[in-house]
Each structure stands twice: as structure tokens, then as C-alpha cells.
Amino acid sequence: CDPYFGPDDLQVLQLVLRSAPHLKVAILTSRKQQQMNGAVDVEESYKKKWRSICDQQAPDTEIVVVGNSKGELPIHDRWWLTKGKGLRIGTSFNSLGAKKESEISGLTEAESRELELRVDEFIETRKREHNGEKLSVFVFSL
């Protein structure tokens, strides 16, 4: 879950290919970030970026783009989650180790499970509104 995830962050999937190539990945991001990237065809911009950084097939990856009327994802924080485990990431993947300091911290099992439930509401496209406002949801496979 990263509201600022865009095509330039796809390098994280190369780590997945190296360490767990059969892992299924779901990425939750905001519509606003996709608009800021200037992509006319969001799905194609991700696929084109992947082809430019890797000649292997991407891992099983689903990208879920969610936005309210301003294009914002109702979640601001960044988390990498798996069953009962997770990390709280203080910045987007492509900013790690760059110009500014940021935090990476482990989540407890209880925190991970709670956040998984919140994120899954969007990933599984069950949640179509937040605080009385409709959400747009766009899902595609990489």
C-alpha cells in the first residue's frame, strides 16, 4: 500500500523475482499519483516501464488504483504486508536511501493483520465509498 506508487517504483518487483518468484503481489495506490505521472493509459505505462527495466515476465501482480473526487487514496501511509507480518515504510520505494532520511519499522502480528484487513477492503474492490464519498477503482494485472 503506497498512495505515491507509480511506474518508476516497479523495480521493487525485481526483488520479488529474485527472492520469491511465485509470490502474488497486490499494489494499492492512488489515482492522483497516476494523474501526476501524466499517463494517459495507466495500465500501458506500467507495462511499458516493466519492459524497460526487466526482460523477464513480471511476478503475478495486480495493481489497484483508487481515488476519491480529488484522486486521493483514503490511506496515506505506506505498508508492505504479508500474512501476519509487515513493514511500515516512511517513503516510496524509489526514494529509499536517496536524499532524505526515512523510517522502516516492523509491524507486530496484530498490527499487520489489522492493516491487511483495511487494505484488503480496497484490493478486493469491496470498498467503493469512504466517508460518504464514492471512490473510483481501477484494477489491472501487470
Side-chain angles (χ1 to χ4, degrees):
C1 175
D2 181 348
Y4 302 101
F5 192 96
D8 289 338
D9 296 300
L10 286 175
Q11 290 178 347
V12 71
L13 294 179
Q14 290 177 311
L15 297 174
V16 172
L17 277 177
R18 283 188 213 120
S19 59
H22 301 296
L23 187 69
K24 182 176 180 179
V25 178
I27 298 168
L28 176 61
T29 188
S30 70
R31 188 177 47 132
K32 184 175 185 177
Q33 181 63 29
Q34 310 323 300
Q35 293 167 332
M36 288 177 64
N37 285 334
V40 175
D41 185 336
V42 174
E43 181 175 357
E44 184 55 33
S45 69
Y46 275 83
K47 290 179 178 183
K48 183 178 179 181
K49 181 64 178 184
W50 178 256
R51 289 188 301 268
S52 77
I53 63 172
C54 190
D55 59 0
Q56 296 177 333
Q57 185 174 344
D60 185 3
T61 304
E62 182 176 78
I63 299 175
V64 181
V65 180
V66 176
N68 61 16
S69 62
K70 296 178 182 177
E72 298 168 341
L73 178 66
I75 298 172
H76 180 73
D77 294 325
R78 297 171 182 95
W79 308 303
W80 292 6
L81 304 168
T82 190
K83 294 189 186 290
K85 298 179 183 178
L87 295 173
R88 181 177 290 113
I89 309 291
T91 190
S92 291
F93 176 75
N94 67 5
S95 297
L96 286 173
K99 298 176 184 174
K100 297 180 182 179
E101 289 184 29
S102 57
E103 174 191 13
I104 298 176
S105 57
L107 298 166
T108 66
E109 186 174 341
E111 289 172 324
S112 294
R113 289 178 197 252
E114 178 187 327
L115 295 175
E116 240 184 291
L117 291 172
R118 288 177 54 199
V119 168
D120 281 351
E121 285 184 314
F122 297 99
I123 289 176
E124 296 171 4
T125 63
R126 293 186 314 234
K127 189 160 182 154
R128 295 290 186 153
E129 66 95 16
H130 180 74
N131 290 340
E133 187 174 12
K134 287 192 177 227
L135 299 173
S136 68
V137 179
F138 175 60
V139 181
F140 62 93
S141 295
L142 187 57

